[in-house]
Each structure stands twice: as structure tokens, then as C-alpha cells.
Amino acid sequence: MIDINELKIYVDYISNKEQSGNNYSPEQFNMLVKQGVEDIQRWLIGLEANYSVGAPLPPVAYEVTQKVKDDLRWLKANPTISVDSQGKMLIPEDYVYVTSITFKEVVNTECCGPEVTLRSVERIDDDKWANRCSSSIKKPTKKYPVCIFYDKDYVLFEPKDLFSVDFTYIKEINPPFWNYYIDSDSEVPIYTPTGSINVEMPAILLNDLARIILGYMGINLRETELLNYADNIKTKGV
């Protein structure tokens, strides 16, 4: 996890070095961090703008490399969610991106009692839904269940009597927050861990997040320059 105060010290050091007299408020920093983590999350999941004809995935996307999956594992959730009698499942409020939906099919056997088989739920495009549900060849069953994202609130399943599914998804990032108090003598904002919220991402992404924040501040740096700053900070013990 990225320590919010470590991130701010890093950004302060670079911004003050690159722009003499540069100053920004804690409120502005918190706003930029929130936007920065949202940008990284969208980038790791896969930016729509990077899709092209003949290339089903952008260069960086959740499905492309294990590194991207590792970076996003901090935000993965896997709840078991009920499916009502109409075949509807309520989408979690913090949902961002689905990675898999599975169903536990339970079959009672004469010899061994209940036998549980994990079935993958196929996600269907809206324009193919009606034909699939009425198909005599590939009609959805508990062995081969299907679903569509019905609207902003629900996922719709066929067959309807699944009762519950395991819904694995990337959740929305809890907004980071750098909390502070004003020193009575210097009138300078002083960090306090009470009320502060760290960034729910691995520490290896600190440079990427710092570069995005600095970019919004109008400071454009190459990755090598940012790494040199990081080494310099470590050497000085800042």
C-alpha cells in the first residue's frame, strides 16, 4: 500500500525543485491524488481509447499480464450475492469491472449425497440475449448459465433459479486522504495519521501516481528523472 504522507513528501520535493516558489493547498493535493488513482485504475483495467481493430485488448489491460493483475489484486472483491426469483442480482455499489461470475451447481447423488460443481457464467451481449435464451441448441441451463448486465443496478441470469452466484470484480478505490492540522506557530499544515487514508495500491506504483499528480500540476517528467528523484530522496533520507 502507498503511504499517503510518503507520497506527499515525494511530490512536494519534486514540485518545489522544479518550480521555485510552487505552493498548493492540502485540499488541492487530495483532489489530485483522488484523480490520479482513478487514472491509474482505468489505465490498468484497459483504456477504451487504446483499443483498435484487430487488437482485442489495449497494450495495458487487466487480462494482458500477471503484473497488471497483481497491481489490481488490492481492489479485488469476491462476494457471494443472491439472485432473486426473477433472475436478478443487485450490482455492488463499489463495482467497477467484472473479472468472473461463477455458479455452484449442486446435484444430489444416490451414493455420495450432494455433489457441487463450479460453473462459469457466460456473459452475453444485449443483442444476442433473446436468441440465446430461446435457442433450442444452446438454451441456458444450470450447467451452462448465462447473464447480461441488465441495467445500472442489476445483472440478469438465465436460468433464473440460480439463487446465488460468486461475483468477482474490481472495486472502486477508497478515496485517499491526507489529513492535517495547522501548526499554531508556523501556520503550516502538519500531517496527522488520524483521519488520513492511504492509497489502496501496491507501493511499486508510487512513481506512476506521482508522475500523474505532477502532470496535473504542469510538471512533466520522464520515468528516469522520477526514479533519480526517488534515489536522491532515499540517499538524503528525506
Side-chain angles (χ1 to χ4, degrees), residues 75-232:
L75 302 175
K76 184 179 286 188
N78 183 27
T80 298
I81 305 178
S82 61
V83 177
D84 67 19
S85 59
Q86 295 179 308
K88 290 183 178 181
M89 182 208 81
L90 184 64
I91 298 171
E93 290 186 1
D94 60 355
Y95 165 81
V96 172
Y97 177 81
V98 64
T99 62
S100 73
I101 306 175
T102 56
F103 162 68
K104 293 184 178 73
E105 182 188 17
V106 180
V107 177
N108 290 314
T109 61
E110 293 182 1
C111 65
C112 308
E115 182 180 279
V116 180
T117 304
L118 192 63
R119 304 293 186 187
S120 178
V121 180
E122 182 182 356
R123 301 190 293 276
I124 303 295
D125 292 335
D126 290 353
D127 59 347
K128 298 180 177 65
W129 179 252
N131 288 339
R132 184 61 177 275
C133 290
S134 60
S135 172
S136 58
I137 300 174
K138 297 185 67 177
K139 187 175 179 64
T141 64
K142 287 187 177 180
K143 188 174 182 179
Y144 300 107
V146 298
C147 72
I148 58 168
F149 279 70
Y150 184 69
D151 56 23
K152 66 181 179 65
D153 295 319
Y154 293 98
V155 177
L156 181 63
F157 292 87
E158 281 289 341
K160 294 180 173 60
D161 57 342
L162 299 184
F163 300 108
S164 68
V165 294
D166 292 328
F167 188 72
T168 305
Y169 66 100
I170 303 300
K171 65 180 181 178
E172 186 177 7
I173 294 175
N174 192 24
F177 187 75
W178 188 83
N179 200 20
Y180 67 98
Y181 65 91
I182 300 297
D183 181 77
S184 58
D185 295 326
S186 64
E187 297 187 353
V188 172
I190 304 297
Y191 168 74
T192 173
T194 303
S196 292
I197 301 173
N198 291 324
V199 183
E200 293 180 302
M201 285 186 168
I204 196 172
L205 292 176
L206 187 146
N207 277 339
D208 297 285
L209 180 55
R211 188 165 60 247
I212 290 172
I213 294 170
L214 291 163
Y216 279 121
M217 294 169 63
I219 304 172
N220 297 311
L221 298 172
R222 296 184 181 90
E223 184 176 1
T224 52
E225 293 174 314
L226 207 55
L227 289 172
N228 288 337
Y229 279 126
D231 290 337
N232 191 19

